[in-house]
């Protein structure tokens, strides 16, 4: 095969243009790679400085190189402070339990402040490396701080954080969710009311109109949902921390593809911890718990809308 080439000292205009274009592409690609590495490396330093289990209050410092969306950063700070208040107000917690809840809270803030937060599709649906997740969970279970974990890591995949968050939340929920399994009537009532409203809305959308009778049925369905909410026992502390995070994630659902339904589907199985239930009962409970979580997320979003 004969390969034609231009003499090195006599480049044509076409060859020069191609060479410059190729060089520019390589240069731009290299610059983007350096920026990503710098952002992720700086994220490590940010987390190390931000989180310490012994801090009485957590302040979000100014960030020079990492620039997550300002809205999510402010939301992370607000959620974190509200969760700290909820944890401190739960007087029956032991010191070890309080530490575990604070760690869960810090993981939530780390997720919202991660430079890949606004770009990641399938948050909490797509799992991270199981080995790395278990290392992080074991590290925190041993009473060590999140700050110490980040000291030994150059890059932390956001999927590792979300996977660890879900596992730690599942461990914590076992300690305070048993009442929902032993007396699930209120959850079932809530699920039935939501299902009734969903079915009615589908019929209305299908016919593209609504009559007075359907308006009355919608009002009745809303009343049933409200009554079911009021009849629920106090939301377990774990869910008090989880729901605001999930509600915030749904605000970016056009990118992450995680609305309230999808997040609830990922998390609901963690609530059904009673393995002695018959299969049919377990499936029914899991379905109702999914509706329960979805309703809590939407309820949180609705409350936020009143504040704006």
């Amino acid at each position: 095969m004969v390969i034609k080439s231009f003499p090195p000292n006599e480049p044509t205009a076409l060859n020069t243009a191609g060479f410059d274009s190729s060089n520019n592409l390589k240069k731009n690609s290299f610059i983007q790679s350096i920026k990503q590495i710098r952002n992720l490396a700086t994220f490590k330093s940010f987390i190390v400085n931000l989180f310490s289990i012994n801090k009485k209050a957590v302040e979000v410092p100014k960030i020079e190189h990492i620039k997550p969306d300002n809205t999510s950063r402010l939301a992370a700070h607000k959620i974190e402070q509200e969760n700290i208040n909820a944890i401190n107000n739960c007087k029956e917690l032991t010191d070890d339990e309080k530490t575990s809840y604070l760690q869960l809270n810090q993981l939530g803030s780390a997720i919202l402040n991660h430079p890949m937060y606004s770009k990641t599709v399938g948050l909490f649906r797509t799992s991270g490396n199981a080995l790395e997740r278990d290392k992080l969970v074991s590290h925190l279970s041993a009473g060590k701080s999140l700050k110490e974990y980040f000291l030994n890591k150059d890059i932390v995949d956001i999927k590792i954080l979300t996977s660890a968050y879900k596992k730690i939340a599942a461990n914590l929920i076992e300690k305070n969710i048993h009442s929902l399994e032993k007396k699930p009537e209120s959850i079932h009532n809530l699920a039935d009311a939501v299902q009734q409203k969903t079915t009615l809305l589908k019929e209305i959308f299908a016919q593209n109109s609504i009559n007075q009778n359907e308006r009355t049925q919608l009002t009745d369905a809303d009343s049933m949902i409200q009554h079911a909410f009021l009849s629920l026992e106090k939301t377990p502390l774990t869910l008090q921390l989880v729901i605001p995070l999930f509600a915030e994630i749904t605000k970016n659902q056009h990118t992450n593809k995680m609305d309230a339904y999808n997040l609830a589907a990922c998390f609901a199985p963690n609530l059904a911890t009673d393995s002695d239930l018959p299969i049919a009962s377990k499936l029914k409970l899991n379905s109702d718990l999914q509706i329960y979580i979805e309703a809590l997320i939407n309820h949180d979003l609705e409350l936020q809308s009143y504040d704006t």
Side-chain angles (χ1 to χ4, degrees):
M1 176 184 295
V2 178
I3 301 176
K4 297 178 90 177
S5 62
F6 296 105
N9 295 326
E10 300 178 14
T12 65
L14 177 62
N15 189 41
T16 301
F19 179 78
D20 290 342
S21 176
S22 176
N23 265 1
N24 285 335
L25 286 174
K26 290 179 180 178
K27 181 179 178 182
N28 290 336
S29 177
F30 177 75
I31 289 173
Q32 291 301 319
S33 298
I34 291 298
K35 284 182 178 180
Q36 184 175 14
I37 291 172
R38 185 179 65 182
N39 281 347
L40 290 172
T42 309
F43 175 65
K44 170 197 169 183
S45 301
F46 167 59
I47 292 296
V48 167
N49 292 328
L50 176 61
F51 295 128
S52 175
I53 245 341
N54 295 322
K55 285 186 179 180
K56 299 222 173 187
V58 179
E59 297 181 359
V60 177
K62 292 182 179 179
I63 307 169
E64 297 296 333
H65 299 295
I66 300 177
K67 293 185 178 179
D69 180 80
N70 191 52
T71 302
S72 65
R73 187 173 60 188
L74 292 174
H77 182 70
K78 180 175 182 290
I79 291 171
E80 185 173 20
Q81 293 301 318
E82 290 176 349
N83 285 348
I84 289 173
N85 291 336
I87 293 168
N88 289 335
N89 289 334
C90 195
K91 304 301 183 183
E92 64 269 21
L93 294 178
T94 65
D95 289 342
D96 288 343
E97 289 173 338
K98 187 173 182 179
T99 296
S100 295
Y101 282 110
L102 288 171
Q103 288 173 335
L104 184 70
N105 188 31
Q106 291 173 353
L107 272 175
S109 291
I111 291 166
L112 292 179
N113 280 298
H114 197 285
M116 296 303 294
Y117 163 72
S118 62
K119 303 174 184 178
T120 301
V121 176
L123 278 172
F124 285 95
R125 183 181 64 217
T126 307
S127 299
N129 181 279
L131 180 60
E132 289 300 318
R133 175 206 63 194
D134 290 343
K135 284 181 180 179
L136 175 53
V137 172
S138 297
H139 175 89
L140 297 176
S141 298
K144 299 177 182 179
S145 69
L146 189 60
K147 172 183 176 180
E148 184 179 346
Y149 175 82
F150 278 104
L151 281 172
N152 301 318
K153 300 289 181 183
D154 291 327
I155 297 176
V156 179
D157 186 349
I158 191 172
K159 294 177 185 177
I160 302 298
L161 300 182
T162 55
S163 296
Y165 185 97
K166 189 159 61 172
K167 188 163 187 175
I168 292 173
N171 292 338
L172 289 172
I173 208 100
E174 286 189 41
K175 300 176 182 178
N176 55 24
I177 203 67
H178 60 278
S179 61
L180 294 180
E181 292 184 345
K182 292 181 178 179
K183 299 180 180 179
E185 293 84 3
S186 55
I187 290 181
H188 293 322
N189 291 338
L190 174 62
D192 290 343
V194 171
Q195 289 280 41
Q196 179 178 330
K197 182 176 180 180
T198 300
T199 301
L200 181 59
L201 286 173
K202 286 181 179 178
E203 293 174 356
I204 293 171
F205 290 147
Q207 63 193 24
N208 199 28
S209 64
I210 181 172
N211 56 43
Q212 185 58 44
N213 182 50
E214 289 167 335
R215 291 182 189 277
T216 302
Q217 289 179 336
L218 278 177
T219 301
D220 291 342
D222 286 334
S223 298
M224 289 176 60
I225 292 172
Q226 183 65 23
H227 178 74
F229 259 119
L230 293 175
S231 66
L232 286 171
E233 297 182 16
K234 182 181 178 181
T235 305
L237 179 58
T238 306
L239 293 183
Q240 291 182 45
L241 309 188
V242 169
I243 295 303
L245 172 65
F246 283 2
E248 185 62 31
I249 289 173
T250 66
K251 296 177 183 178
N252 194 37
Q253 61 184 268
H254 62 283
T255 299
N256 60 39
K257 311 302 180 187
M258 296 302 288
D259 56 13
Y261 174 86
N262 288 332
L263 286 166
C266 291
F267 195 75
N270 297 306
L271 305 185
T273 59
D274 189 350
S275 58
D276 295 331
L277 286 174
I279 296 297
S281 299
K282 186 179 292 187
L283 290 174
K284 169 63 174 171
L285 179 59
N286 185 72
S287 175
D288 288 353
L289 286 172
Q290 181 175 332
I291 293 174
Y292 170 56
I293 295 297
E294 183 181 3
L296 288 177
I297 295 171
N298 288 327
H299 183 62
D300 191 272
L301 290 168
E302 185 177 355
L303 292 177
Q304 290 182 37
S305 69
Y306 295 146
D307 296 334
T308 57

